[in-house]
mmCIF file of all heavy atoms in Angstrom:
data_model
loop_
_atom_site.group_PDB
_atom_site.id
_atom_site.type_symbol
_atom_site.label_atom_id
_atom_site.label_comp_id
_atom_site.label_asym_id
_atom_site.label_seq_id
_atom_site.Cartn_x
_atom_site.Cartn_y
_atom_site.Cartn_z
ATOM 1 N N GLU A 42 -1.568 33.815 13.421
ATOM 2 C CA GLU A 42 -2.942 34.405 12.940
ATOM 3 C C GLU A 42 -3.926 34.287 13.922
ATOM 4 O O GLU A 42 -4.821 35.177 13.981
ATOM 5 C CB GLU A 42 -3.345 33.627 11.610
ATOM 6 C CG GLU A 42 -3.758 32.238 11.811
ATOM 7 C CD GLU A 42 -2.592 31.287 11.481
ATOM 8 O OE1 GLU A 42 -1.481 31.713 11.598
ATOM 9 O OE2 GLU A 42 -2.822 30.054 11.436
ATOM 10 N N ARG A 43 -3.843 33.342 14.863
ATOM 11 C CA ARG A 43 -5.026 33.229 15.835
ATOM 12 C C ARG A 43 -4.820 34.419 16.940
ATOM 13 O O ARG A 43 -5.821 35.051 17.423
ATOM 14 C CB ARG A 43 -5.000 31.981 16.657
ATOM 15 C CG ARG A 43 -5.306 30.799 15.727
ATOM 16 C CD ARG A 43 -4.945 29.516 16.403
ATOM 17 N NE ARG A 43 -5.012 28.404 15.448
ATOM 18 C CZ ARG A 43 -6.136 27.649 15.207
ATOM 19 N NH1 ARG A 43 -7.211 27.894 15.969
ATOM 20 N NH2 ARG A 43 -6.154 26.689 14.373
ATOM 21 N N ARG A 44 -3.580 34.760 17.173
ATOM 22 C CA ARG A 44 -3.285 35.976 18.047
ATOM 23 C C ARG A 44 -3.851 37.223 17.455
ATOM 24 O O ARG A 44 -4.417 38.075 18.148
ATOM 25 C CB ARG A 44 -1.855 36.016 18.438
ATOM 26 C CG ARG A 44 -1.517 37.072 19.511
ATOM 27 C CD ARG A 44 -0.154 36.702 20.076
ATOM 28 N NE ARG A 44 0.790 36.476 19.120
ATOM 29 C CZ ARG A 44 1.663 37.391 18.673
ATOM 30 N NH1 ARG A 44 1.455 38.670 19.054
ATOM 31 N NH2 ARG A 44 2.602 37.149 17.815
ATOM 32 N N ILE A 45 -3.572 37.390 16.104
ATOM 33 C CA ILE A 45 -3.997 38.574 15.456
ATOM 34 C C ILE A 45 -5.542 38.692 15.363
ATOM 35 O O ILE A 45 -6.182 39.681 15.698
ATOM 36 C CB ILE A 45 -3.423 38.568 13.995
ATOM 37 C CG1 ILE A 45 -1.945 38.797 14.120
ATOM 38 C CG2 ILE A 45 -4.027 39.754 13.201
ATOM 39 C CD1 ILE A 45 -1.235 38.575 12.729
ATOM 40 N N ALA A 46 -6.250 37.519 15.130
ATOM 41 C CA ALA A 46 -7.606 37.478 15.083
ATOM 42 C C ALA A 46 -8.141 37.921 16.454
ATOM 43 O O ALA A 46 -9.123 38.654 16.581
ATOM 44 C CB ALA A 46 -8.110 36.119 14.744
ATOM 45 N N ARG A 47 -7.580 37.419 17.491
ATOM 46 C CA ARG A 47 -7.984 37.775 18.771
ATOM 47 C C ARG A 47 -7.807 39.300 19.192
ATOM 48 O O ARG A 47 -8.726 39.829 19.660
ATOM 49 C CB ARG A 47 -7.153 36.934 19.816
ATOM 50 C CG ARG A 47 -7.751 37.091 21.216
ATOM 51 C CD ARG A 47 -6.938 36.236 22.224
ATOM 52 N NE ARG A 47 -5.459 36.378 21.999
ATOM 53 C CZ ARG A 47 -4.593 35.782 22.738
ATOM 54 N NH1 ARG A 47 -4.998 34.823 23.698
ATOM 55 N NH2 ARG A 47 -3.296 35.870 22.780
ATOM 56 N N GLY A 48 -6.837 39.734 18.597
ATOM 57 C CA GLY A 48 -6.660 41.158 18.878
ATOM 58 C C GLY A 48 -7.651 42.101 18.157
ATOM 59 O O GLY A 48 -8.144 43.014 18.610
ATOM 60 N N VAL A 49 -7.940 41.710 16.982
ATOM 61 C CA VAL A 49 -8.983 42.421 16.196
ATOM 62 C C VAL A 49 -10.428 42.298 16.809
ATOM 63 O O VAL A 49 -11.118 43.228 16.990
ATOM 64 C CB VAL A 49 -9.035 41.945 14.780
ATOM 65 C CG1 VAL A 49 -10.170 42.598 13.921
ATOM 66 C CG2 VAL A 49 -7.701 42.225 14.015
ATOM 67 N N ALA A 50 -10.595 40.985 17.107
ATOM 68 C CA ALA A 50 -11.964 40.746 17.727
ATOM 69 C C ALA A 50 -12.175 41.479 19.073
ATOM 70 O O ALA A 50 -13.216 42.003 19.413
ATOM 71 C CB ALA A 50 -12.140 39.276 18.017
ATOM 72 N N ALA A 51 -10.991 41.678 19.829
ATOM 73 C CA ALA A 51 -11.070 42.381 21.058
ATOM 74 C C ALA A 51 -11.447 43.800 20.835
ATOM 75 O O ALA A 51 -12.006 44.459 21.744
ATOM 76 C CB ALA A 51 -9.762 42.350 21.700
ATOM 77 N N GLN A 52 -11.234 44.481 19.721
ATOM 78 C CA GLN A 52 -11.551 45.804 19.364
ATOM 79 C C GLN A 52 -12.891 46.034 18.846
ATOM 80 O O GLN A 52 -13.511 46.968 18.982
ATOM 81 C CB GLN A 52 -10.513 46.338 18.477
ATOM 82 C CG GLN A 52 -9.046 46.436 18.950
ATOM 83 C CD GLN A 52 -8.289 47.397 18.201
ATOM 84 O OE1 GLN A 52 -8.763 48.520 17.897
ATOM 85 N NE2 GLN A 52 -7.162 46.950 17.714
ATOM 86 N N ILE A 53 -13.447 44.981 18.096
ATOM 87 C CA ILE A 53 -14.668 45.169 17.321
ATOM 88 C C ILE A 53 -15.806 44.282 17.778
ATOM 89 O O ILE A 53 -16.942 44.548 17.425
ATOM 90 C CB ILE A 53 -14.430 44.998 15.810
ATOM 91 C CG1 ILE A 53 -14.188 43.477 15.592
ATOM 92 C CG2 ILE A 53 -13.333 45.820 15.279
ATOM 93 C CD1 ILE A 53 -14.065 43.202 14.034
ATOM 94 N N ALA A 54 -15.591 43.355 18.579
ATOM 95 C CA ALA A 54 -16.647 42.565 19.040
ATOM 96 C C ALA A 54 -17.695 43.214 19.836
ATOM 97 O O ALA A 54 -17.222 44.139 20.740
ATOM 98 C CB ALA A 54 -16.174 41.241 19.706
ATOM 99 N N VAL A 105 -7.575 30.493 20.812
ATOM 100 C CA VAL A 105 -8.139 31.178 19.627
ATOM 101 C C VAL A 105 -8.709 32.527 20.072
ATOM 102 O O VAL A 105 -8.637 33.412 19.138
ATOM 103 C CB VAL A 105 -9.260 30.167 19.044
ATOM 104 C CG1 VAL A 105 -9.805 30.803 17.810
ATOM 105 C CG2 VAL A 105 -8.643 28.850 18.707
ATOM 106 N N GLY A 106 -9.223 32.629 21.141
ATOM 107 C CA GLY A 106 -9.673 33.909 21.416
ATOM 108 C C GLY A 106 -11.072 34.385 21.132
ATOM 109 O O GLY A 106 -11.846 33.473 20.634
ATOM 110 N N ALA A 107 -11.276 35.508 21.235
ATOM 111 C CA ALA A 107 -12.739 35.994 20.975
ATOM 112 C C ALA A 107 -13.196 35.749 19.472
ATOM 113 O O ALA A 107 -14.323 35.540 19.301
ATOM 114 C CB ALA A 107 -12.747 37.510 21.233
ATOM 115 N N ALA A 108 -12.292 35.942 18.484
ATOM 116 C CA ALA A 108 -12.579 35.734 17.144
ATOM 117 C C ALA A 108 -13.180 34.237 16.959
ATOM 118 O O ALA A 108 -14.436 34.190 16.481
ATOM 119 C CB ALA A 108 -11.474 35.999 16.176
ATOM 120 N N LEU A 109 -12.531 33.353 17.344
ATOM 121 C CA LEU A 109 -12.974 32.002 17.140
ATOM 122 C C LEU A 109 -14.134 31.750 18.043
ATOM 123 O O LEU A 109 -14.941 30.815 17.805
ATOM 124 C CB LEU A 109 -11.763 31.006 17.410
ATOM 125 C CG LEU A 109 -12.071 29.657 16.926
ATOM 126 C CD1 LEU A 109 -12.393 29.645 15.503
ATOM 127 C CD2 LEU A 109 -10.816 28.671 17.192
ATOM 128 N N ALA A 110 -14.167 32.505 19.201
ATOM 129 C CA ALA A 110 -15.195 32.153 20.030
ATOM 130 C C ALA A 110 -16.571 32.549 19.456
ATOM 131 O O ALA A 110 -17.510 31.877 19.695
ATOM 132 C CB ALA A 110 -15.132 33.152 21.343
ATOM 133 N N ILE A 111 -16.553 33.491 18.536
ATOM 134 C CA ILE A 111 -17.808 33.887 17.811
ATOM 135 C C ILE A 111 -18.158 32.658 16.921
ATOM 136 O O ILE A 111 -19.330 32.274 16.926
ATOM 137 C CB ILE A 111 -17.579 35.149 16.955
ATOM 138 C CG1 ILE A 111 -17.026 36.255 17.824
ATOM 139 C CG2 ILE A 111 -18.880 35.490 16.312
ATOM 140 C CD1 ILE A 111 -17.843 36.497 19.069
ATOM 141 N N VAL A 112 -17.250 32.171 16.271
ATOM 142 C CA VAL A 112 -17.569 30.980 15.468
ATOM 143 C C VAL A 112 -18.000 29.912 16.308
ATOM 144 O O VAL A 112 -19.000 29.198 15.925
ATOM 145 C CB VAL A 112 -16.232 30.633 14.687
ATOM 146 C CG1 VAL A 112 -16.545 29.428 13.730
ATOM 147 C CG2 VAL A 112 -15.775 31.736 13.753
ATOM 148 N N SER A 132 -13.458 25.135 12.530
ATOM 149 C CA SER A 132 -13.427 26.564 12.104
ATOM 150 C C SER A 132 -13.993 26.815 10.809
ATOM 151 O O SER A 132 -13.220 26.687 9.721
ATOM 152 C CB SER A 132 -12.054 27.122 12.323
ATOM 153 O OG SER A 132 -11.147 26.333 11.596
ATOM 154 N N GLY A 133 -15.246 26.992 10.638
ATOM 155 C CA GLY A 133 -15.715 27.571 9.427
ATOM 156 C C GLY A 133 -16.198 26.631 8.438
ATOM 157 O O GLY A 133 -16.549 26.884 7.417
ATOM 158 N N TYR B 41 -21.796 41.480 12.891
ATOM 159 C CA TYR B 41 -20.518 41.056 13.401
ATOM 160 C C TYR B 41 -20.409 39.539 13.239
ATOM 161 O O TYR B 41 -19.425 38.975 12.865
ATOM 162 C CB TYR B 41 -20.368 41.423 14.835
ATOM 163 C CG TYR B 41 -19.098 40.967 15.373
ATOM 164 C CD1 TYR B 41 -17.815 41.573 15.123
ATOM 165 C CD2 TYR B 41 -18.966 39.826 16.077
ATOM 166 C CE1 TYR B 41 -16.633 41.100 15.673
ATOM 167 C CE2 TYR B 41 -17.687 39.303 16.739
ATOM 168 C CZ TYR B 41 -16.516 39.973 16.356
ATOM 169 O OH TYR B 41 -15.376 39.593 16.825
ATOM 170 N N GLU B 42 -21.556 38.929 13.433
ATOM 171 C CA GLU B 42 -21.492 37.410 13.392
ATOM 172 C C GLU B 42 -21.427 37.037 12.027
ATOM 173 O O GLU B 42 -20.771 35.941 11.738
ATOM 174 C CB GLU B 42 -22.776 36.754 14.058
ATOM 175 C CG GLU B 42 -22.741 36.986 15.596
ATOM 176 C CD GLU B 42 -24.169 36.338 16.198
ATOM 177 O OE1 GLU B 42 -25.072 36.168 15.379
ATOM 178 O OE2 GLU B 42 -24.047 36.271 17.377
ATOM 179 N N ARG B 43 -21.845 37.746 11.069
ATOM 180 C CA ARG B 43 -21.585 37.469 9.621
ATOM 181 C C ARG B 43 -20.205 37.769 9.234
ATOM 182 O O ARG B 43 -19.554 37.169 8.374
ATOM 183 C CB ARG B 43 -22.590 38.285 8.778
ATOM 184 C CG ARG B 43 -23.952 37.648 8.714
ATOM 185 C CD ARG B 43 -24.803 38.343 7.619
ATOM 186 N NE ARG B 43 -25.312 39.664 8.042
ATOM 187 C CZ ARG B 43 -26.446 39.829 8.714
ATOM 188 N NH1 ARG B 43 -27.239 38.871 8.934
ATOM 189 N NH2 ARG B 43 -26.924 41.000 9.059
ATOM 190 N N PHE B 44 -19.561 38.757 9.924
ATOM 191 C CA PHE B 44 -18.231 39.137 9.597
ATOM 192 C C PHE B 44 -17.225 38.062 10.186
ATOM 193 O O PHE B 44 -16.102 37.903 9.799
ATOM 194 C CB PHE B 44 -17.935 40.588 10.058
ATOM 195 C CG PHE B 44 -16.530 41.031 9.846
ATOM 196 C CD1 PHE B 44 -16.177 41.599 8.650
ATOM 197 C CD2 PHE B 44 -15.564 41.001 10.891
ATOM 198 C CE1 PHE B 44 -14.874 41.957 8.497
ATOM 199 C CE2 PHE B 44 -14.326 41.427 10.615
ATOM 200 C CZ PHE B 44 -13.898 41.947 9.385
ATOM 201 N N ALA B 45 -17.603 37.584 11.395
ATOM 202 C CA ALA B 45 -16.721 36.747 12.102
ATOM 203 C C ALA B 45 -15.920 35.622 11.395
ATOM 204 O O ALA B 45 -14.697 35.416 11.721
ATOM 205 C CB ALA B 45 -17.415 36.056 13.304
ATOM 206 N N PRO B 46 -16.592 35.026 10.360
ATOM 207 C CA PRO B 46 -15.768 34.006 9.529
ATOM 208 C C PRO B 46 -14.495 34.572 9.008
ATOM 209 O O PRO B 46 -13.559 33.832 8.640
ATOM 210 C CB PRO B 46 -16.831 33.440 8.600
ATOM 211 C CG PRO B 46 -18.061 33.633 9.302
ATOM 212 C CD PRO B 46 -17.945 34.975 10.001
ATOM 213 N N LEU B 47 -14.517 35.845 8.613
ATOM 214 C CA LEU B 47 -13.204 36.363 8.110
ATOM 215 C C LEU B 47 -12.084 36.411 9.142
ATOM 216 O O LEU B 47 -10.973 36.688 8.868
ATOM 217 C CB LEU B 47 -13.591 37.852 7.583
ATOM 218 C CG LEU B 47 -14.330 37.938 6.208
ATOM 219 C CD1 LEU B 47 -14.464 39.352 5.815
ATOM 220 C CD2 LEU B 47 -13.559 37.124 5.160
ATOM 221 N N LEU B 48 -12.502 36.278 10.432
ATOM 222 C CA LEU B 48 -11.407 36.192 11.459
ATOM 223 C C LEU B 48 -11.009 34.764 11.764
ATOM 224 O O LEU B 48 -10.319 34.472 12.735
ATOM 225 C CB LEU B 48 -11.980 36.908 12.682
ATOM 226 C CG LEU B 48 -12.269 38.337 12.639
ATOM 227 C CD1 LEU B 48 -12.816 38.910 13.950
ATOM 228 C CD2 LEU B 48 -11.058 39.045 12.154
ATOM 229 N N ALA B 49 -11.567 33.796 11.011
ATOM 230 C CA ALA B 49 -11.150 32.371 11.184
ATOM 231 C C ALA B 49 -9.658 32.295 10.648
ATOM 232 O O ALA B 49 -9.144 33.122 9.998
ATOM 233 C CB ALA B 49 -11.979 31.517 10.333
ATOM 234 N N PRO B 50 -8.902 31.296 11.311
ATOM 235 C CA PRO B 50 -7.493 31.246 10.988
ATOM 236 C C PRO B 50 -7.145 31.236 9.518
ATOM 237 O O PRO B 50 -6.123 31.649 9.141
ATOM 238 C CB PRO B 50 -7.119 29.934 11.755
ATOM 239 C CG PRO B 50 -8.110 29.855 12.810
ATOM 240 C CD PRO B 50 -9.377 30.324 12.289
ATOM 241 N N GLU B 51 -7.883 30.439 8.675
ATOM 242 C CA GLU B 51 -7.558 30.472 7.324
ATOM 243 C C GLU B 51 -7.492 31.761 6.755
ATOM 244 O O GLU B 51 -6.592 32.041 5.819
ATOM 245 C CB GLU B 51 -8.441 29.555 6.575
ATOM 246 C CG GLU B 51 -8.647 28.141 7.170
ATOM 247 C CD GLU B 51 -9.749 28.102 8.242
ATOM 248 O OE1 GLU B 51 -10.827 28.553 8.079
ATOM 249 O OE2 GLU B 51 -9.346 27.442 9.222
ATOM 250 N N GLN B 52 -8.538 32.672 6.981
ATOM 251 C CA GLN B 52 -8.634 33.854 6.335
ATOM 252 C C GLN B 52 -7.492 34.828 6.915
ATOM 253 O O GLN B 52 -6.852 35.529 6.161
ATOM 254 C CB GLN B 52 -9.988 34.543 6.499
ATOM 255 C CG GLN B 52 -11.209 33.524 6.363
ATOM 256 C CD GLN B 52 -11.307 33.137 4.956
ATOM 257 O OE1 GLN B 52 -10.725 33.761 4.049
ATOM 258 N NE2 GLN B 52 -12.037 32.088 4.621
ATOM 259 N N VAL B 53 -7.360 34.812 8.192
ATOM 260 C CA VAL B 53 -6.388 35.712 8.816
ATOM 261 C C VAL B 53 -5.020 35.255 8.420
ATOM 262 O O VAL B 53 -4.163 36.135 8.138
ATOM 263 C CB VAL B 53 -6.513 35.769 10.324
ATOM 264 C CG1 VAL B 53 -5.354 36.635 11.023
ATOM 265 C CG2 VAL B 53 -7.942 36.255 10.786
ATOM 266 N N GLY B 54 -4.763 34.025 8.382
ATOM 267 C CA GLY B 54 -3.388 33.492 7.985
ATOM 268 C C GLY B 54 -3.084 33.969 6.493
ATOM 269 O O GLY B 54 -1.912 34.316 6.222
ATOM 270 N N VAL B 56 -4.177 36.726 5.133
ATOM 271 C CA VAL B 56 -3.837 38.079 5.213
ATOM 272 C C VAL B 56 -2.476 38.329 5.762
ATOM 273 O O VAL B 56 -1.654 39.239 5.326
ATOM 274 C CB VAL B 56 -4.924 38.837 6.015
ATOM 275 C CG1 VAL B 56 -4.543 40.301 6.329
ATOM 276 C CG2 VAL B 56 -6.312 38.850 5.271
ATOM 277 N N ALA B 73 -1.653 43.421 9.004
ATOM 278 C CA ALA B 73 -2.715 42.503 9.002
ATOM 279 C C ALA B 73 -3.864 42.912 9.801
ATOM 280 O O ALA B 73 -5.024 42.923 9.430
ATOM 281 C CB ALA B 73 -2.285 41.082 9.401
ATOM 282 N N GLN B 74 -3.577 43.404 11.043
ATOM 283 C CA GLN B 74 -4.644 43.882 11.881
ATOM 284 C C GLN B 74 -5.268 45.112 11.246
ATOM 285 O O GLN B 74 -6.485 45.307 11.331
ATOM 286 C CB GLN B 74 -3.998 44.129 13.281
ATOM 287 C CG GLN B 74 -3.576 42.888 13.921
ATOM 288 C CD GLN B 74 -3.369 43.054 15.440
ATOM 289 O OE1 GLN B 74 -4.000 43.852 16.112
ATOM 290 N NE2 GLN B 74 -2.587 42.168 15.966
ATOM 291 N N ALA B 76 -5.521 45.764 8.138
ATOM 292 C CA ALA B 76 -6.532 45.280 7.117
ATOM 293 C C ALA B 76 -7.723 44.847 7.614
ATOM 294 O O ALA B 76 -8.822 45.033 7.035
ATOM 295 C CB ALA B 76 -5.710 44.239 6.221
ATOM 296 N N LEU B 77 -7.680 43.995 8.657
ATOM 297 C CA LEU B 77 -8.851 43.351 9.092
ATOM 298 C C LEU B 77 -9.857 44.403 9.764
ATOM 299 O O LEU B 77 -11.054 44.345 9.619
ATOM 300 C CB LEU B 77 -8.500 42.326 10.226
ATOM 301 C CG LEU B 77 -7.792 41.068 9.791
ATOM 302 C CD1 LEU B 77 -7.187 40.410 10.790
ATOM 303 C CD2 LEU B 77 -8.890 40.159 9.005
ATOM 304 N N LEU B 78 -9.292 45.362 10.415
ATOM 305 C CA LEU B 78 -10.158 46.594 10.821
ATOM 306 C C LEU B 78 -10.730 47.336 9.703
ATOM 307 O O LEU B 78 -11.904 47.725 9.860
ATOM 308 C CB LEU B 78 -9.378 47.356 11.801
ATOM 309 C CG LEU B 78 -9.099 46.841 13.194
ATOM 310 C CD1 LEU B 78 -8.039 47.676 13.944
ATOM 311 C CD2 LEU B 78 -10.330 46.773 14.002
ATOM 312 N N ALA B 80 -11.497 46.157 6.978
ATOM 313 C CA ALA B 80 -12.435 45.341 6.376
ATOM 314 C C ALA B 80 -13.658 45.474 7.140
ATOM 315 O O ALA B 80 -14.942 45.495 6.715
ATOM 316 C CB ALA B 80 -12.058 43.904 6.275
ATOM 317 N N TRP B 81 -13.620 45.410 8.439
ATOM 318 C CA TRP B 81 -14.751 45.564 9.331
ATOM 319 C C TRP B 81 -15.474 46.842 9.108
ATOM 320 O O TRP B 81 -16.733 46.873 9.057
ATOM 321 C CB TRP B 81 -14.330 45.257 10.836
ATOM 322 C CG TRP B 81 -15.391 45.722 11.733
ATOM 323 C CD1 TRP B 81 -15.307 46.695 12.658
ATOM 324 C CD2 TRP B 81 -16.708 45.169 11.916
ATOM 325 N NE1 TRP B 81 -16.424 46.912 13.468
ATOM 326 C CE2 TRP B 81 -17.263 45.882 12.955
ATOM 327 C CE3 TRP B 81 -17.308 44.254 11.366
ATOM 328 C CZ2 TRP B 81 -18.652 45.579 13.446
ATOM 329 C CZ3 TRP B 81 -18.602 43.871 11.709
ATOM 330 C CH2 TRP B 81 -19.211 44.624 12.771
ATOM 331 N N LEU B 97 -11.280 40.808 0.980
ATOM 332 C CA LEU B 97 -10.315 41.011 2.145
ATOM 333 C C LEU B 97 -8.946 41.039 1.626
ATOM 334 O O LEU B 97 -8.178 41.886 2.108
ATOM 335 C CB LEU B 97 -10.593 39.930 3.087
ATOM 336 C CG LEU B 97 -9.716 39.978 4.376
ATOM 337 C CD1 LEU B 97 -9.831 41.228 5.209
ATOM 338 C CD2 LEU B 97 -9.974 38.626 5.235
#
Side-chain angles (χ1 to χ4, degrees):
Chain A
E42 65 268 17
R43 295 170 190 264
R44 183 159 52 93
I45 293 173
R47 184 175 54 181
V49 172
Q52 292 197 53
I53 67 175
V105 179
L109 194 55
I111 305 310
V112 180
S132 52
Chain B
Y41 179 79
E42 289 179 347
R43 282 191 281 271
F44 179 80
L47 284 183
L48 297 179
E51 304 84 48
Q52 313 297 346
V53 177
V56 172
Q74 295 196 26
L77 291 164
L78 283 173
W81 166 242
L97 176 61

